[in-house]
């Protein structure tokens, strides 16, 4: 066998690098190594990662090392016919290759990325002597085949190139990426330019202008609104030229839409200097002269969003949207992704090429909040991909008062992002030209590979967490350093005055013009007749309304009988040769019988008919959640699998020509990020039915931040409507504390001003009408549906076809048993699965004196609806609310507060499990005892 030059046991990295070069271009590899690789037969890039098992015995020598032996990297002297000179050349080349590779892997650890100059120490693998390289060796020539430049160079010149590329103001982590093409692309882009742009005079002036805009804005606010909270960007002003350059590059790349999300730090500056919100409007919000407009509503100025259009230098118009964001910093990230996905779907951009998401994070939040990992995990999933996101870390090197050593266990705040096959750029924010290089590289990488990319811009926070905070209380040494720092604009201007054609006069004119404009805007803001532009629904939202439900007409949601039959049959249609599981063959046959009217529709069929009818009418449908394709309870089977080939088929996607898009996707094991994504999707697709299903309704509490801070309050805080549907399996069936309650009480506690809808449908027809109503009428509110579990197959929980072909969703269902209303001694009001238990018990007892009413919509709820349902019954008959949940949960306390001690002439009482800290027992036998006790209480029987 052809043998390569012998190596020490520490040279595997050299072999890996040469093998990668050989796979890319065999001619670029030294002849002796090329002959060796040729002798191995077929070699793939993955072979370099197989470790010593790839290398045949005898490749590595175990002989005592020579020079540099203390570090274990010297090579054994040549044997056989190899000359001593050839051996020395090969040995030096090997050491050089190892050193250069270490700069790619470890160079970021020596990069000058901290503007405060705090020492990061040194790394031994970046020292030439670690590899036995002497000062004399630096002048010796080496092959540059693994570098981008001339074929041969001196070791000293190669080392300088690597230091310039990886150890100046930019540090890069990219060698964790497995894809060789990506690594090669990054290497070539960085090493060919030594990670530095050559900027024209105009480009330098543009950067200086945007820096001036950022600095002057902050200084102006500090002087004119002394002590007011603004969450200043001071110390990280390079964010503004960074964003400006990103948008310019987006225009060159043909991007139409950009969605930006960020926390409050620097938001006002971004609103003014990137999105073009008038400074006068921002100043007016500081003045706070219109309190009557915001009684009980609105949000603070540094949480607000904005939309505008920007015409870039190349003439391309890019639409910009900054998301509204509460103080739960990172939870807006999946919302922004959902918004972009909706925009792309709306415009048919299924290649995900015409939209850009920019997420601006704080360093402490990026490292500390788990929703970041969940959001990153969405990036390469088919149901959530948006074509790559630019993540920008505004690195304060501080979280409120918490230093990095107390806020994370990792070297960098960005280390969680190494879970993805993406580069991470660390850049000194006080070097604006390095920032320009990084954002151009990041934008081009995203364009080339449609993957996320991270830009970690190091700066500092000149002031406290807010302007009223004293940071030196807790970080005195850090703020001593900060106090000594010259501002980034002044530092960059000094650089330009020394090394470019920019003059002091140009810089002063830029600053003076900006200062004069801000003064004009403040004067305008303080005029009595100032009126801010109205925030009206436009674009895709034109024609939709929020507000009171009473202001919109109730709509009929039935469909034509022939159409219902046709659509149901379409949900059973399979491609030629497609073979489903034998059990599903029977399931499909039953569905066909339902379509023909021979069998009542079960829950699955009722839901499928709702989705199919909407898609056929031109309304897109999107349903996601854990295992939602099949359904947690094996009831939906919206996506079928061929048992022989494994291929999939979703009948709802193939109903008819010209139908709207249907997308039913299993989600990752995430609640908060996925619900946030779907909330964002709804923000830009009001005519679609968008639903998120919890695996069990109990798991919705993991997404509580999205519910509290976005879903139920967006209209009141930000005047933003949303029609997201939450499907939450709910019902007490002895499955334990975490598989019983979807926390109905929490949603009812959040219900006010008709901000949401909360329903508990008990029949497939009710579910059908509720889903159609959500889209057909133009009233947009989130819909919370307590969906069933056991009722999915309950023989009584079915609906005839006639129930789908006329009518609408019924807020209260009357008793379906023919009883003499005058003889009724008690009226039971209940919801959900409990109704079927009560009806069965009533039949068993042959009791005709207890009426059962189903409250299908708990919110919005009017007393008039209840009184109308109670009208057939004699006055003063007791009305009993009965629920499965403990007394302190469920709907009872909500109803008691809203309805008082009676509804009309009917006194109101309740039956429930005793108050408890846990929703349900973990014992099935105990559950049955408790459940029977509820039934006995209602029917006045002795407890069993």
């Amino acid at each position: 066998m052809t043998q390569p030059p012998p190596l020490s046991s520490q040279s595997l990295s050299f072999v890996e690098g040469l093998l990668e070069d050989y796979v890319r271009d065999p001619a670029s590899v030294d002849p002796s190594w090329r002959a060796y690789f040729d002798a191995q037969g077929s070699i793939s890039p993955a072979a370099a990662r197989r470790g010593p098992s790839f290398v045949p015995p005898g490749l590595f020598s175990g002989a005592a090392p020579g020079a540099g032996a203390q570090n274990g990297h010297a090579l054994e002297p040549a044997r056989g016919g190899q000359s001593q000179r050839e051996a020395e050349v090969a040995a030096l080349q090997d050491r050089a290759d190892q050193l250069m590779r270490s700069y790619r892997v470890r160079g970021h650890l020596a990069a000058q990325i901290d503007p405060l100059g705090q020492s990061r120490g040194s790394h031994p693998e970046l020292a030439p002597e670690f590899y036995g390289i002497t000062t004399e060796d630096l002048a010796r020539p080496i092959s540059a085949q693994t570098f981008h430049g001339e074929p041969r160079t001196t070791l000293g010149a190669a080392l300088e190139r690597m230091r310039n590329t990886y150890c100046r103001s930019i540090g890069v982590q990219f060698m964790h990426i497995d894809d060789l093409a990506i690594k090669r692309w990054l290497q070539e882009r960085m090493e060919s330019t030594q990670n530095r742009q050559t900027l024209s005079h105009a480009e330098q002036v543009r950067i200086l202008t945007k820096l001036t805009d950022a600095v002057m804005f902050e200084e102006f606010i500090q002087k004119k609104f002394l002590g007011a909270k603004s969450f200043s960007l001071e110390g990280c002003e390079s964010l503004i030229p960074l964003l400006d350059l990103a948008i310019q590059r987006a225009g060159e790349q043909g991007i139409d839409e950009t969605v930006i999300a960020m926390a409050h730090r620097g938001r006002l500056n971004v609103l003014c200097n990137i999105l073009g919100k008038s400074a006068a409007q921002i100043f007016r919000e500081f003045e706070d002269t219109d309190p009557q407009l915001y009684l009980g509503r609105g949000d603070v100025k540094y949480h607000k969003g904005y939309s505008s259009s920007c015409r870039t230098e190349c003439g391309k118009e890019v639409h910009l949207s900054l998301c509204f964001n509460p103080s739960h910093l990172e939870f807006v990230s999946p919302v922004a992704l959902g918004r972009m996905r909706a925009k792309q779907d709306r415009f048919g951009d299924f290649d995900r090429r015409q939209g850009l998401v920019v997420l601006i994070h704080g360093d402490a939040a990026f490292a500390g909040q788990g929703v970041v990992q969940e959001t990153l995990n969405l990036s390469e999933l088919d149901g959530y991909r948006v074509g790559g996101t630019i993540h920008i870390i505004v690195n304060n090197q501080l979280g409120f008062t918490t230093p990095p050593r107390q806020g994370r266990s990792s070297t960098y705040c960005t280390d969680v992002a190494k879970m993805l096959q993406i580069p991470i750029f660390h850049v000194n924010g006080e070097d604006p030209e390095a920032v320009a290089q990084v954002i151009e590289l990041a934008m081009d990488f995203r364009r080339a590979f449609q993957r996320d990319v991270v830009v970690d811009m190091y700066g500092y926070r000149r002031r406290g967490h807010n302007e009223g905070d004293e940071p030196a209380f807790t970080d005195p040494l850090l703020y001593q350093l900060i106090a000594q720092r010259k501002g980034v604009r002044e530092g960059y201007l000094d650089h330009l005055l020394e090394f470019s054609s920019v003059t002091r006069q140009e810089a002063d004119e830029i600053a003076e013009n900006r200062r004069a404009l801000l003064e004009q805007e403040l004067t305008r803001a303080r005029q009595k007749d100032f009126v801010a532009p109205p925030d009206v629904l436009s674009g895709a939202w034109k024609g939709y309304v929020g507000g009171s439900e009473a202001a919109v007409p109730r709509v009929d949601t039935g469909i034509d009988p022939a159409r219902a039959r046709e659509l149901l049959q379409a949900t059973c249609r399979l491609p030629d040769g497609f073979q489903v599981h034998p059990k599903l063959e029977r399931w499909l046959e039953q569905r066909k019988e339902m379509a023909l009217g021979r069998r009542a529709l079960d829950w699955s069929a009722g839901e499928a008919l709702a989705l199919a009818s909407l898609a056929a009418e031109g309304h897109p449908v999107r349903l996601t959640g854990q295992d939602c394709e099949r359904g947690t309870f094996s009831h939906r089977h919206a996506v079928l699998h061929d048992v022989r080939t494994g291929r999939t088929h979703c009948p709802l996607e193939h109903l008819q020509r010209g139908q709207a898009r249907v997308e039913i996707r299993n989600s990752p094991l995430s609640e908060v990020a996925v619900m946030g994504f779907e909330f964002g999707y709804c923000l830009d697709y009001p005519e679609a039915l968008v639903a998120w299903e919890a695996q069990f309704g109990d798991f919705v509490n993991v997404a509580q931040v999205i519910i509290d801070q976005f879903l139920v309050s967006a209209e009141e805080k930000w005047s933003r409507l949303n029609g997201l549907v939450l499907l939450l399996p709910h019902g007490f069936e002895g499955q334990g504390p975490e598989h019983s309650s979807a926390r109905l009480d929490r949603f009812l506690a959040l219900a006010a001003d008709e901000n949401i809808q909360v329903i508990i449908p008990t029949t497939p027809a009710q579910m059908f009408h509720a889903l159609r109503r959500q889209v057909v009428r133009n009233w947009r509110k989130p819909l919370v549906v307590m969906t069933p579990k056991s009722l999915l197959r309950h023989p009584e929980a079915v609906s005839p076809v006639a129930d789908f072909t006329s009518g609408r969703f019924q807020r209260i269902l009357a008793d379906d048993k023919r009883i003499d209303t005058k003889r009724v001694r008690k009226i039971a009001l209940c919801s959900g699965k409990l109704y079927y238990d009560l009806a069965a018990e009533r039949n068993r007892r042959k009791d005709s004196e207890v009426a059962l009413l189903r409250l299908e919509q708990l919110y919005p709820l009017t007393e008039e609806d209840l009184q109308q349902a109670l009208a057939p019954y004699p006055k003063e008959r007791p009305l009993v609310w009965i629920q499965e949940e403990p007394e302190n949960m469920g709907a009872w306390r909500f109803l008691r507060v809203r309805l008082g001690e009676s509804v009309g002439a009917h006194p109101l009482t309740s039956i429930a499990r005793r108050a408890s800290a846990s929703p349900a027992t973990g014992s099935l036998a105990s559950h049955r005892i408790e459940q029977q006790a509820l039934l006995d209480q209602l029917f006045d029987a002795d407890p069993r």
Side-chain angles (χ1 to χ4, degrees), residues 38-75:
D38 287 344
Q40 307 306 309
S42 177
I43 296 178
S44 68
R49 293 185 291 277
R50 292 211 295 265
S53 63
F54 162 71
V55 182
L59 175 59
F60 296 117
S61 78
Q70 69 275 18
N71 294 316
H73 288 280
L75 302 182

Side-chain angles (χ1 to χ4, degrees), residues 590 593-594 597-603 605 764 795 797-801 804:
Q590 291 176 348
E593 292 177 9
M594 296 173 192
R598 299 170 185 167
R599 176 190 289 264
L601 276 66
D602 62 11
W603 203 274
V798 294
S799 302
V801 173
F804 299 86

Side-chain angles (χ1 to χ4, degrees), residues 666-815:
N666 288 338
S667 77
L669 194 66
S670 160
E671 288 83 25
V672 65
V674 173
M675 187 192 292
F677 188 101
E678 305 308 335
F679 172 84
Y681 195 98
C682 285
L683 288 174
D684 281 88
Y685 224 146
E687 66 268 41
L689 177 71
V690 183
W692 174 80
E693 182 175 64
Q695 192 174 62
F696 282 87
D698 314 65
F699 302 161
V700 73
N701 56 17
V702 181
Q704 200 65 44
V705 172
I706 300 298
I707 294 166
D708 292 350
Q709 306 298 332
F710 293 91
L711 191 72
V712 304
S713 56
E715 182 179 358
E716 197 150 274
K717 292 193 298 187
W718 310 318
S719 300
R720 290 298 178 268
L721 305 181
N722 196 276
L724 180 62
V725 178
L726 304 185
L727 304 178
L728 312 178
H730 176 84
F732 284 59
E733 290 147 331
Q735 296 191 60
E738 274 68 63
H739 288 160
S740 297
S741 174
R743 302 290 185 170
L744 170 65
D745 40 289
R746 292 186 182 173
F747 290 101
L748 294 177
L750 293 167
D753 294 331
E754 301 189 22
N755 59 333
I756 57 174
Q757 308 163 85
V758 182
I759 66 172
I760 310 182
T762 56
T763 71
Q766 281 283 83
M767 184 66 172
F768 167 86
H769 288 294
L771 293 176
R772 284 186 53 79
R773 179 183 71 167
Q774 183 70 359
V775 176
V776 171
R777 64 178 175 175
N778 66 343
W779 194 61
R780 284 294 174 269
K781 304 279 178 163
L783 173 63
V784 180
V785 188
M786 300 284 143
T787 58
K789 295 176 288 183
S790 63
L791 294 192
L792 297 172
R793 293 180 179 81
H794 196 291
E796 299 297 321
V798 294
S799 302
V801 173
D803 287 357
F804 299 86
T805 58
S806 63
R808 60 172 73 106
F809 179 80
Q810 301 298 310
R811 290 165 168 77
I812 302 175
L813 287 179
D815 198 325

Side-chain angles (χ1 to χ4, degrees), residues 231 363-364 396-403 461 463-466 469-471 474-475 478-479:
F231 294 94
D363 52 313
N396 304 313
Q397 305 188 69
L398 190 65
F400 204 152
T401 65
T402 304
R461 196 185 67 203
R463 301 181 186 275
H465 176 68
N466 60 62
D469 190 34
E470 176 48 75
T474 53
D475 297 284
L478 177 65
Y479 276 85

